[in-house]
Amino acid sequence: MIKVGVIGGSGYTGGELLRLLSAHSQVELSFVYSRTRAGKPVSSAHPDLLGLTDLRFSGEVQPDVDLVFLCLGHGNSRKFLEEQIFSPETKIIDLSSDFRLKEDCSFNGQPFVYGLPELYKEQIQQASYIANPGCFATAIQLALLPMARMGILTGDVHVNATTGSTGAGVVPSETTHFSWRNNNVSWYKAFTHQHLDEIEESLDNEQTNRGDLLFLPVRGNFSRGIFATAYTRYNGDQDTVVNLFKDYYREAAFTQISEHPVHLKQVVNTNQCHLHVHLGEGVLLVTSVIDNLLKGASGQAVQNMNLMFGFPETKGLNLKASAF
Ligand SMILES: NC(=O)c1ccc[n+]([C@@H]2O[C@H](COP(=O)([O-])OP(=O)(O)OC[C@H]3O[C@@H](n4cnc5c(N)ncnc54)[C@H](OP(=O)(O)O)[C@@H]3O)[C@@H](O)[C@H]2O)c1
């Protein structure tokens, strides 16, 4: 058993972590930190946890836990670690973007390892600090990494990815307001989304002489999931590409290659990424679907925890989608 703390536990990724950790047989949940809800039952923010935990939010951390998950917005994780003292033995998994890029990935002289198990499993197993990837970044990297290994990203790559409203966090905004979001579609941050840098860094592992990555993020009319398409010019044959994708993910616990076109609901509420490869006339199209809060955030964080502590990689994560 390991002792675990969750910081920012009243938000969406925090809530998903608590749901997963409360069913994980190797984890004892020691504290759930909240700035604004100290003393209140955790189930007051997450009614779905009623009966699963009697814990109350805490306004203080327990500095000697084995692991803390940071579920804070961009910029707040680094600040939090500067203000709070944890034991040198305490491992950290940060869900924000504060430590994801190589130029900015160390804290107290210790590096954060980028937590994409499909790319860095061995480094994650040895790591004390993990920077959990972004949700769009996860879906898009898993679509593009095998293409980069093939060296075919020499021309421009077009990526269109639609996300559910939970991607924007628990605090309501104009574009997550039900009356606006429902029956509506819109794009945002065209070609400038903040996840582009971490995607590019990972792709550099496989191919450096690449064309441009043109990424258009879209707000979808649903609460969970990311449906991403990526396509580029390619003149080879379908079997070669499909076999290469299968080979690339042969050891991956949660990334599957589907023979059939994929849809979002087949992965929502799971830690899976399902990929489908389609060859049109001179164009290779890869579709990637994930749950933004699971494989895109808290599920991948638990996968990383399992790897760091030597638990089976899939422990607590064998979830079937509620596909209908
Ligand atoms: N949502 C997703 O799909 C997703 C996917 C991948 C990665 N992420 C990343 O994961 C992180 C958390 O996302 P989220 O969607 O869970 O956000 P969220 O729903 O907005 O929750 C963040 C929580 O952080 C706490 N908080 C806010 N400002 C703080 C501060 N200055 N210091 C300490 N605590 C603070 C708040 O809890 P209290 O008020 O109770 O303290 C809040 O509930 C973000 O960096 C996000 O980019 C999110």
Side-chain angles (χ1 to χ4, degrees):
M1 290 289 269
I2 56 167
K3 291 184 191 302
V4 170
V6 175
I7 315 292
S10 68
Y12 280 156
T13 59
E16 279 300 276
L17 261 177
L18 297 176
R19 181 168 77 88
L20 296 172
L21 296 176
S22 66
H24 196 295
S25 61
Q26 304 292 123
V27 168
E28 180 188 322
L29 207 45
S30 296
F31 72 95
V32 184
Y33 175 92
S34 164
R35 290 169 315 165
T36 55
R37 294 175 183 261
K40 294 186 178 155
V42 165
S43 59
S44 65
H46 304 296
D48 53 326
L49 291 173
L50 189 64
L52 290 179
T53 178
D54 294 329
L55 269 178
R56 289 176 178 270
F57 287 109
S58 164
E60 291 174 3
V61 305
Q62 293 177 24
D64 55 353
V65 288
D66 299 296
L67 171 68
V68 283
F69 290 97
L70 301 177
C71 302
L72 309 176
H74 177 57
N76 292 329
S77 291
R78 186 180 287 277
K79 201 158 162 271
F80 192 84
L81 290 177
E82 283 164 1
E83 288 167 358
Q84 304 281 341
I85 307 289
F86 287 98
S87 153
E89 311 304 321
T90 300
K91 297 187 179 192
I92 297 168
I93 299 179
D94 177 34
L95 279 76
S96 85
S97 54
D98 286 9
F99 301 99
R100 287 183 199 152
L101 299 181
K102 287 190 180 117
E103 63 174 14
D104 212 14
C105 77
S106 77
F107 183 74
N108 276 349
Q110 279 254 47
F112 274 72
V113 170
Y114 190 68
L116 190 67
E118 286 78 357
L119 197 55
Y120 294 121
K121 189 181 284 193
E122 284 171 19
Q123 292 92 322
I124 293 167
Q125 284 167 327
Q126 307 302 323
S128 295
Y129 297 170
I130 294 290
N132 217 56
C135 48
F136 272 134
T138 297
I140 294 167
Q141 284 171 89
L142 293 176
L144 294 182
L145 279 166
M147 292 159 86
R149 163 101 30 115
M150 293 165 72
I152 63 165
L153 301 183
T154 43
D156 291 347
V157 183
H158 295 259
V159 175
N160 189 303
T162 305
T163 181
S165 56
T166 53
V170 72
V171 177
S173 69
E174 188 185 338
T175 57
T176 58
H177 190 299
F178 180 83
S179 308
W180 190 93
R181 189 88 172 209
N182 189 38
N183 299 327
N184 208 357
V185 180
S186 63
W187 60 254
Y188 64 109
K189 297 184 181 173
F191 318 122
T192 60
H193 194 276
Q194 63 274 16
H195 289 177
L196 276 167
D197 290 341
E198 61 185 282
I199 297 170
E200 302 265 9
E201 277 198 355
S202 295
L203 293 178
D204 281 348
N205 283 287
E206 303 288 3
Q207 184 183 358
T208 46
N209 58 330
R210 295 190 310 277
D212 287 336
L213 188 55
L214 303 168
F215 170 32
L216 187 66
V218 177
R219 299 183 186 94
N221 170 25
F222 49 89
S223 54
R224 289 175 79 122
I226 289 178
F227 182 94
T229 53
Y231 46 96
T232 193
R233 290 278 169 210
Y234 177 66
N235 290 315
D237 67 281
Q238 169 113 3
D239 285 351
T240 305
V241 189
V242 170
N243 286 336
L244 197 130
F245 267 73
K246 285 185 177 164
D247 206 41
Y248 196 95
Y249 292 119
R250 196 167 300 288
E251 303 293 323
F254 293 105
T255 299
Q256 323 293 339
I257 315 303
S258 168
E259 286 177 20
H260 308 286
V262 291
H263 59 82
L264 195 54
K265 271 181 150 182
Q266 71 189 66
V267 294
V268 169
N269 281 317
T270 79
N271 195 48
Q272 297 284 339
C273 174
H274 287 181
L275 298 169
H276 176 255
V277 178
H278 171 80
L279 194 58
E281 291 212 359
V283 183
L284 180 62
L285 164 66
V286 178
T287 308
S288 171
V289 286
I290 62 166
D291 185 318
N292 58 297
L293 289 172
L294 289 173
K295 185 61 176 163
S298 309
Q300 186 144 259
V302 170
Q303 187 181 352
N304 284 323
M305 174 191 80
N306 287 339
L307 291 170
M308 291 165 92
F309 287 91
F311 305 145
E313 187 174 353
T314 56
K315 186 100 191 158
L317 293 170
N318 282 321
L319 305 163
K320 181 201 171 293
S322 42
F324 35 82

